[in-house]
Amino acid sequence: VTTMTSRLTKSQQRALCSQLGNVKLKLLYKASIHGFTGAAFHQQCDSQGPTVSVGYNATGHIFGGYTSKPFNQSGQFVQDDRAFLFAFKGEDLLKYQVINSNQAVKMIANSGPYFGESFALVNGSQAVVYSNPGNHYNFNAAEMHGDNLQLTDCEVYHVKENTDLEKPWRDIVWKSEKRVELMDSIKKYKPITSSVPQARILLIGPVGAGKSSFFNSINSVFRGHVTSQAIAGCSGTSLTTQFRTYSVKAGREGKPLPFMLCDTMGLEESTGAGLDVDDILSILKGHIPDCYQFNPSVPLQVEAHGYRRSPELKDQIHCVVFLIDACKVSIMPTKLEEKLAAVRRKAILMGIPQLILLTKVDEACPTVAEDLSNIYKSRYIKDMEVSVRLGVPLSCVVPVKNYYEELELDLKCDILLLNAIIQMLRFADNYFDDISDRYQNLETKEETPT
């Protein structure tokens, strides 16, 4: 028996799976082993459910199509509004969605996978591609396969639901007593440096990652019902144009809790849009006053109203939190990744600890959508590479689900949100520890006689 090995790299497989939910790929057919014929393809792939078909040519192009419908040999067109064609440009996935979904896939006996009247692999039982962009799928032929229609191989994978829940990679107690305990420890927290009344936590992330929603969600947990104070939404440009600091109260009439969430404009991919990296440096150092109005095209001016020339420790940022939408990790634009890396470098130089808050985890993984307590069992969430892409250890990645359309609080949701705050306060304490160590070292040096 010849063992079949996939020609797709792990990261190419991940990029495809990220378009299809919490799934894994199982290789069914490989033309170089089973033969470049329609008969061999149908024998291995008919009635197998959703599939990804991949073609390889001598110029190194990798391209293909996905259909959620099982293959057969009826000679008919099959309707599939989820079908798409794709090509890889390096490790990046280019996607061409079906245009005429009523004729998304054609079930032809004497051919390999046949998409509409636009594209086929192992066409007419030959090692060739049929390529005719237009009515069913529109793609750029040169970009997709470099106009080289000779196949060196063709693979078809079964797309399987990834149900393997692992042993949890973090242990969480999902009980209402735990929620009370977490809320109490947050209420009782005091920064270890007495000159600092509240730990200041800066929320940074791309537009729509859920910064304002996170503040609203934390506020909701302590209010005991879902509430929204910061304007949250999902428009293409940042809804937050000011630097805002938000204090959460322990209940409606309660006193402010010992932390402050600082919300900024979204980081947009393009330069001259979204938050300027130099502005972020001014925020980290504590120069920027609350309600400062950002102008994305001009960094902060020293003459700006309320600019703090010599900020104290209590004005500075004590922990930086990057919010990343779990659905978009695999398709994060390079420009955005560079902006986040630039901010990370500045925070590292200043010794400010950093956390990653992974938002919208329920939308990214069906197993988590079914039950939020699967969050730390989901291999999909754990293997998401967010720690690799942003260069932080997995221990600094905290998944949460913000409140969006819900009207009632949910215990599991609350526990994840409160755990995130606890983690931020621990990180802020590490920062205060470092500062006091440095301060003591300085004092010791000054006292040491020469």
Side-chain angles (χ1 to χ4, degrees), residues 125-181:
S125 293
Q126 303 289 317
V128 295
V129 178
Y130 169 72
S131 171
N132 177 24
N135 297 337
H136 294 89
Y137 298 84
N138 203 3
F139 54 89
N140 176 332
E143 175 183 70
M144 188 174 179
H145 45 62
D147 290 323
N148 177 336
L149 302 180
Q150 292 298 315
L151 285 173
T152 55
D153 211 343
C154 170
E155 295 178 331
V156 179
Y157 296 82
H158 177 205
V159 176
K160 294 174 70 173
E161 270 298 314
N162 193 1
T163 47
D164 23 324
L165 291 176
E166 295 195 318
K167 183 181 171 301
W169 46 286
R170 260 182 215 153
D171 287 321
I172 297 274
V173 179
W174 305 101
K175 294 204 168 131
S176 52
E177 302 88 74
K178 185 66 184 173
R179 172 165 55 188
V180 173
E181 181 192 315

Coordinates of all heavy atoms in Angstrom, one line a residue, residues 125-181:
S125 N -10.6 13.3 -18.1 CA -9.6 12.2 -17.7 C -8.2 12.4 -18.2 O -7.5 11.5 -18.6 CB -10.2 10.8 -18.1 OG -11.3 10.5 -17.3
Q126 N -7.8 13.7 -18.3 CA -6.4 14.0 -18.7 C -5.8 14.8 -17.5 O -6.5 15.4 -16.7 CB -6.4 14.9 -19.9 CG -7.1 14.3 -21.1 CD -6.3 13.2 -21.8 OE1 -5.1 13.3 -21.9 NE2 -7.0 12.1 -22.1
A127 N -4.4 14.9 -17.5 CA -3.8 15.6 -16.5 C -3.7 17.1 -16.8 O -2.7 17.8 -16.9 CB -2.3 15.1 -16.3
V128 N -4.9 17.7 -17.0 CA -5.0 19.1 -17.4 C -6.1 19.8 -16.7 O -7.0 19.2 -16.0 CB -5.4 19.2 -19.0 CG1 -4.2 18.7 -19.8 CG2 -6.7 18.6 -19.3
V129 N -6.0 21.1 -16.7 CA -7.0 22.0 -16.1 C -7.9 22.6 -17.1 O -7.4 23.0 -18.2 CB -6.3 23.2 -15.4 CG1 -7.3 24.1 -14.7 CG2 -5.3 22.7 -14.3
Y130 N -9.2 22.7 -16.9 CA -10.1 23.5 -17.7 C -10.3 24.8 -17.0 O -10.6 24.8 -15.8 CB -11.4 22.7 -17.9 CG -12.5 23.6 -18.6 CD1 -12.4 23.9 -19.9 CD2 -13.6 24.1 -17.8 CE1 -13.4 24.7 -20.5 CE2 -14.6 24.8 -18.4 CZ -14.5 25.1 -19.7 OH -15.4 25.9 -20.3
S131 N -10.1 25.9 -17.7 CA -10.1 27.2 -17.1 C -10.9 28.2 -18.0 O -10.4 28.5 -19.1 CB -8.7 27.7 -16.9 OG -8.7 29.1 -16.4
N132 N -12.0 28.7 -17.5 CA -12.8 29.6 -18.2 C -13.6 30.6 -17.3 O -14.7 30.4 -17.0 CB -13.8 28.8 -19.1 CG -14.8 29.6 -19.9 OD1 -14.5 30.8 -20.2 ND2 -15.9 29.1 -20.2
P133 N -12.8 31.6 -16.8 CA -13.4 32.5 -15.8 C -14.6 33.3 -16.4 O -14.6 33.5 -17.6 CB -12.3 33.5 -15.4 CG -11.3 33.3 -16.4 CD -11.4 31.9 -17.0
G134 N -15.6 33.6 -15.6 CA -16.7 34.4 -16.2 C -18.0 34.2 -15.4 O -18.1 34.6 -14.3
N135 N -18.9 33.4 -16.0 CA -20.3 33.4 -15.5 C -20.5 32.7 -14.2 O -21.3 33.1 -13.3 CB -21.2 32.7 -16.5 CG -21.3 33.5 -17.8 OD1 -21.0 34.7 -17.8 ND2 -21.6 32.9 -18.9
H136 N -19.7 31.6 -13.9 CA -20.0 30.9 -12.7 C -19.0 31.3 -11.6 O -19.4 31.4 -10.4 CB -19.9 29.4 -13.0 CG -20.9 28.9 -13.9 ND1 -20.8 28.8 -15.3 CD2 -22.2 28.4 -13.6 CE1 -21.9 28.4 -15.8 NE2 -22.8 28.1 -14.8
Y137 N -17.8 31.5 -11.9 CA -16.8 32.0 -11.0 C -15.9 33.0 -11.7 O -15.6 32.7 -12.9 CB -15.8 30.8 -10.5 CG -16.5 29.7 -9.7 CD1 -17.2 28.7 -10.4 CD2 -16.6 29.7 -8.3 CE1 -17.8 27.7 -9.7 CE2 -17.2 28.7 -7.6 CZ -17.8 27.7 -8.3 OH -18.4 26.7 -7.6
N138 N -15.6 34.1 -11.1 CA -14.7 35.0 -11.8 C -13.3 35.0 -11.1 O -13.2 35.3 -9.9 CB -15.3 36.4 -11.8 CG -14.8 37.2 -12.9 OD1 -14.0 36.7 -13.7 ND2 -15.2 38.5 -13.0
F139 N -12.3 34.7 -11.9 CA -10.9 34.7 -11.3 C -10.0 35.2 -12.3 O -10.3 35.2 -13.5 CB -10.6 33.3 -10.8 CG -10.7 32.2 -11.8 CD1 -9.7 31.9 -12.7 CD2 -11.9 31.5 -12.0 CE1 -9.8 30.9 -13.6 CE2 -12.0 30.5 -12.9 CZ -11.0 30.2 -13.8
N140 N -8.8 35.6 -11.9 CA -7.8 36.1 -12.8 C -6.9 34.8 -13.1 O -6.2 34.3 -12.2 CB -7.0 37.1 -12.0 CG -5.8 37.6 -12.8 OD1 -5.2 36.9 -13.6 ND2 -5.3 38.8 -12.6
A141 N -7.0 34.3 -14.3 CA -6.3 33.1 -14.7 C -4.8 33.1 -14.4 O -4.2 32.2 -13.9 CB -6.6 32.7 -16.1
A142 N -4.2 34.2 -14.8 CA -2.7 34.3 -14.6 C -2.4 34.3 -13.1 O -1.4 33.6 -12.7 CB -2.3 35.7 -15.2
E143 N -3.2 34.9 -12.3 CA -3.0 34.9 -10.8 C -3.2 33.5 -10.2 O -2.5 33.1 -9.4 CB -3.9 35.9 -10.2 CG -3.9 36.0 -8.7 CD -5.0 37.1 -8.2 OE1 -6.2 36.8 -8.3 OE2 -4.6 38.1 -7.8
M144 N -4.2 32.8 -10.8 CA -4.6 31.6 -10.2 C -3.7 30.4 -10.5 O -3.2 29.7 -9.7 CB -6.1 31.2 -10.6 CG -6.6 30.0 -9.9 SD -8.3 29.8 -10.4 CE -8.8 28.4 -9.5
H145 N -3.4 30.3 -11.8 CA -2.5 29.1 -12.2 C -1.4 29.5 -13.2 O -0.8 28.6 -13.8 CB -3.4 28.0 -12.8 CG -4.4 28.4 -13.8 ND1 -4.1 29.1 -15.0 CD2 -5.8 28.4 -13.7 CE1 -5.3 29.4 -15.6 NE2 -6.3 29.0 -14.9
G146 N -1.2 30.8 -13.4 CA -0.2 31.3 -14.3 C -0.3 30.8 -15.7 O 0.6 30.7 -16.5
D147 N -1.6 30.5 -16.1 CA -1.9 30.1 -17.5 C -1.2 28.8 -17.9 O -1.0 28.5 -19.0 CB -1.6 31.2 -18.5 CG -2.6 32.3 -18.4 OD1 -3.8 32.0 -18.1 OD2 -2.2 33.5 -18.5
N148 N -0.7 28.0 -16.8 CA -0.1 26.7 -17.1 C -1.2 25.7 -16.8 O -1.5 25.4 -15.6 CB 1.1 26.5 -16.3 CG 1.8 25.1 -16.5 OD1 1.1 24.2 -16.8 ND2 3.0 25.0 -16.2
L149 N -1.7 25.0 -17.8 CA -2.9 24.1 -17.6 C -2.5 22.7 -17.5 O -3.4 21.8 -17.5 CB -3.9 24.4 -18.7 CG -4.4 25.8 -18.8 CD1 -5.5 26.0 -19.9 CD2 -5.0 26.3 -17.5
Q150 N -1.2 22.4 -17.4 CA -0.7 21.0 -17.2 C -0.6 20.7 -15.7 O 0.1 21.4 -15.0 CB 0.6 20.8 -17.9 CG 0.6 20.9 -19.4 CD -0.2 19.8 -20.1 OE1 -0.1 18.7 -19.7 NE2 -1.0 20.2 -21.0
L151 N -1.3 19.6 -15.3 CA -1.3 19.2 -13.9 C -0.1 18.3 -13.6 O 0.1 17.4 -14.3 CB -2.6 18.5 -13.5 CG -3.8 19.4 -13.3 CD1 -5.0 18.5 -13.1 CD2 -3.6 20.3 -12.1
T152 N 0.6 18.6 -12.5 CA 1.6 17.6 -12.0 C 1.0 16.7 -11.0 O 1.4 15.6 -10.8 CB 2.9 18.3 -11.4 OG1 2.4 19.2 -10.4 CG2 3.6 19.1 -12.5
D153 N -0.1 17.2 -10.3 CA -0.8 16.4 -9.4 C -2.2 17.0 -9.1 O -2.4 18.2 -9.4 CB 0.0 16.2 -8.1 CG -0.4 14.8 -7.4 OD1 -1.4 14.2 -7.8 OD2 0.4 14.4 -6.6
C154 N -3.1 16.2 -8.6 CA -4.4 16.7 -8.1 C -4.7 16.0 -6.8 O -4.6 14.7 -6.8 CB -5.4 16.5 -9.2 SG -7.1 16.8 -8.6
E155 N -5.2 16.7 -5.8 CA -5.6 16.0 -4.6 C -7.0 16.5 -4.2 O -7.4 17.6 -4.4 CB -4.6 16.5 -3.4 CG -3.2 16.0 -3.6 CD -2.3 16.5 -2.5 OE1 -2.5 17.6 -1.9 OE2 -1.3 15.8 -2.2
V156 N -7.7 15.6 -3.6 CA -9.1 15.9 -3.1 C -9.1 15.5 -1.6 O -8.8 14.3 -1.3 CB -10.2 15.2 -3.9 CG1 -11.6 15.6 -3.3 CG2 -10.1 15.7 -5.4
Y157 N -9.6 16.4 -0.8 CA -9.6 16.2 0.7 C -11.1 16.2 1.1 O -11.9 17.0 0.7 CB -8.9 17.3 1.4 CG -7.4 17.4 1.2 CD1 -6.9 18.1 0.0 CD2 -6.5 16.9 2.0 CE1 -5.6 18.2 -0.2 CE2 -5.1 17.0 1.8 CZ -4.7 17.6 0.7 OH -3.3 17.8 0.5
H158 N -11.4 15.3 2.0 CA -12.7 15.4 2.7 C -12.6 16.4 3.8 O -11.6 16.4 4.6 CB -13.0 14.0 3.3 CG -14.3 13.9 4.0 ND1 -14.5 13.0 5.0 CD2 -15.4 14.7 4.0 CE1 -15.7 13.2 5.6 NE2 -16.3 14.2 4.9
V159 N -13.6 17.3 3.9 CA -13.6 18.3 5.0 C -14.4 17.8 6.1 O -15.6 17.6 6.0 CB -14.2 19.7 4.5 CG1 -14.3 20.7 5.6 CG2 -13.4 20.2 3.3
K160 N -13.7 17.4 7.2 CA -14.4 16.8 8.4 C -14.5 17.8 9.5 O -13.6 18.5 9.8 CB -13.6 15.6 8.9 CG -13.6 14.5 7.9 CD -12.6 13.4 8.4 CE -13.2 12.6 9.5 NZ -12.4 11.4 9.9
E161 N -15.7 17.7 10.2 CA -15.9 18.5 11.5 C -14.8 18.1 12.4 O -14.6 16.9 12.6 CB -17.2 18.2 12.1 CG -18.3 19.1 11.7 CD -18.1 20.6 12.0 OE1 -17.7 20.9 13.1 OE2 -18.3 21.5 11.1
N162 N -14.1 19.0 13.0 CA -13.1 18.7 14.0 C -13.7 18.6 15.4 O -13.8 19.6 16.1 CB -12.0 19.8 13.9 CG -10.7 19.4 14.7 OD1 -10.6 18.2 15.2 ND2 -9.7 20.2 14.7
T163 N -14.1 17.4 15.8 CA -14.8 17.3 17.0 C -13.8 16.9 18.2 O -14.2 16.9 19.3 CB -15.8 16.2 17.0 OG1 -15.2 15.0 16.4 CG2 -17.0 16.6 16.1
D164 N -12.5 16.7 17.8 CA -11.6 16.2 18.9 C -11.4 17.3 19.9 O -10.7 18.3 19.7 CB -10.3 15.7 18.4 CG -9.9 16.2 17.1 OD1 -10.8 16.4 16.3 OD2 -8.7 16.5 16.8
L165 N -12.1 17.2 21.0 CA -11.9 18.1 22.1 C -10.7 17.6 22.9 O -10.7 16.4 23.3 CB -13.1 18.2 23.0 CG -14.3 18.9 22.3 CD1 -15.5 18.8 23.2 CD2 -14.0 20.3 22.0
E166 N -9.8 18.4 23.2 CA -8.6 18.0 23.9 C -8.9 18.0 25.4 O -9.8 18.6 25.9 CB -7.5 18.9 23.6 CG -7.0 19.0 22.2 CD -5.7 19.7 22.1 OE1 -5.5 20.7 22.8 OE2 -4.8 19.1 21.4
K167 N -7.9 17.5 26.1 CA -7.8 17.7 27.5 C -7.7 19.2 27.7 O -6.9 19.8 26.9 CB -6.6 17.0 28.1 CG -6.5 17.1 29.6 CD -5.2 16.4 30.0 CE -4.9 16.6 31.5 NZ -4.7 18.0 31.8
P168 N -8.5 19.9 28.5 CA -8.4 21.4 28.5 C -6.9 21.9 28.8 O -6.2 21.3 29.6 CB -9.3 21.8 29.7 CG -10.0 20.6 30.2 CD -9.4 19.4 29.5
W169 N -6.6 22.9 28.0 CA -5.2 23.5 28.2 C -5.2 24.5 29.3 O -4.1 25.0 29.6 CB -4.6 24.0 26.9 CG -5.5 24.9 26.0 CD1 -6.5 24.5 25.3 CD2 -5.4 26.3 25.8 NE1 -7.1 25.5 24.6 CE2 -6.4 26.7 24.9 CE3 -4.5 27.3 26.3 CZ2 -6.6 28.0 24.5 CZ3 -4.7 28.6 25.9 CH2 -5.7 28.9 25.0
R170 N -6.3 24.8 29.9 CA -6.4 25.6 31.1 C -7.5 25.1 31.9 O -8.6 24.8 31.4 CB -6.6 27.1 30.8 CG -5.4 27.9 30.9 CD -5.6 29.4 30.6 NE -4.4 29.9 29.9 CZ -4.5 30.9 29.1 NH1 -5.6 31.6 28.9 NH2 -3.4 31.3 28.5
D171 N -7.4 25.1 33.2 CA -8.5 24.6 34.1 C -9.3 25.7 34.6 O -8.8 26.7 35.2 CB -8.0 23.8 35.2 CG -7.4 22.4 34.8 OD1 -8.1 21.8 33.9 OD2 -6.4 22.0 35.3
I172 N -10.6 25.7 34.3 CA -11.5 26.8 34.7 C -12.7 26.1 35.5 O -13.2 25.1 35.1 CB -12.1 27.5 33.5 CG1 -11.0 28.2 32.7 CG2 -13.1 28.5 33.9 CD1 -10.6 29.6 33.1
V173 N -13.1 26.8 36.6 CA -14.3 26.3 37.3 C -15.4 27.2 36.8 O -15.4 28.4 36.9 CB -14.1 26.5 38.8 CG1 -15.3 26.1 39.6 CG2 -12.8 25.7 39.3
W174 N -16.5 26.5 36.3 CA -17.6 27.2 35.7 C -18.8 27.2 36.7 O -19.8 26.7 36.5 CB -18.1 26.6 34.4 CG -17.0 26.4 33.4 CD1 -16.3 25.3 33.1 CD2 -16.5 27.4 32.5 NE1 -15.4 25.5 32.1 CE2 -15.5 26.9 31.7 CE3 -16.8 28.8 32.3 CZ2 -14.8 27.6 30.7 CZ3 -16.1 29.5 31.3 CH2 -15.1 28.9 30.6
K175 N -18.6 27.8 37.9 CA -19.6 27.8 38.9 C -19.9 29.2 39.4 O -19.0 30.1 39.4 CB -19.2 27.0 40.1 CG -19.1 25.5 39.8 CD -19.2 24.6 41.0 CE -19.3 23.1 40.6 NZ -18.4 22.3 41.4
S176 N -21.2 29.5 39.8 CA -21.5 30.8 40.2 C -20.7 31.3 41.4 O -20.4 32.5 41.6 CB -23.0 31.0 40.5 OG -23.4 30.0 41.4
E177 N -20.3 30.3 42.3 CA -19.4 30.7 43.4 C -18.1 31.3 42.9 O -17.5 32.2 43.5 CB -19.1 29.5 44.4 CG -20.3 28.8 44.9 CD -20.8 27.7 44.0 OE1 -20.2 26.6 43.9 OE2 -21.9 27.9 43.4
K178 N -17.7 30.7 41.8 CA -16.4 31.2 41.2 C -16.5 32.6 40.7 O -15.6 33.4 40.9 CB -16.0 30.2 40.1 CG -14.6 30.5 39.5 CD -13.5 30.3 40.5 CE -12.2 30.7 39.9 NZ -11.1 30.6 40.9
R179 N -17.7 32.9 40.1 CA -17.9 34.3 39.6 C -17.9 35.3 40.8 O -17.2 36.3 40.7 CB -19.3 34.4 38.9 CG -19.7 35.8 38.6 CD -20.8 36.0 37.6 NE -22.0 35.3 38.0 CZ -23.1 35.2 37.3 NH1 -23.1 35.7 36.0 NH2 -24.2 34.5 37.7
V180 N -18.5 34.9 41.9 CA -18.5 35.8 43.1 C -17.1 36.0 43.6 O -16.7 37.1 43.9 CB -19.4 35.2 44.2 CG1 -19.3 35.9 45.5 CG2 -20.9 35.1 43.7
E181 N -16.4 34.9 43.7 CA -15.0 34.9 44.2 C -14.1 35.8 43.3 O -13.3 36.6 43.8 CB -14.4 33.5 44.2 CG -13.0 33.3 44.7 CD -12.5 31.9 44.3 OE1 -13.3 30.9 44.6 OE2 -11.4 31.8 43.8

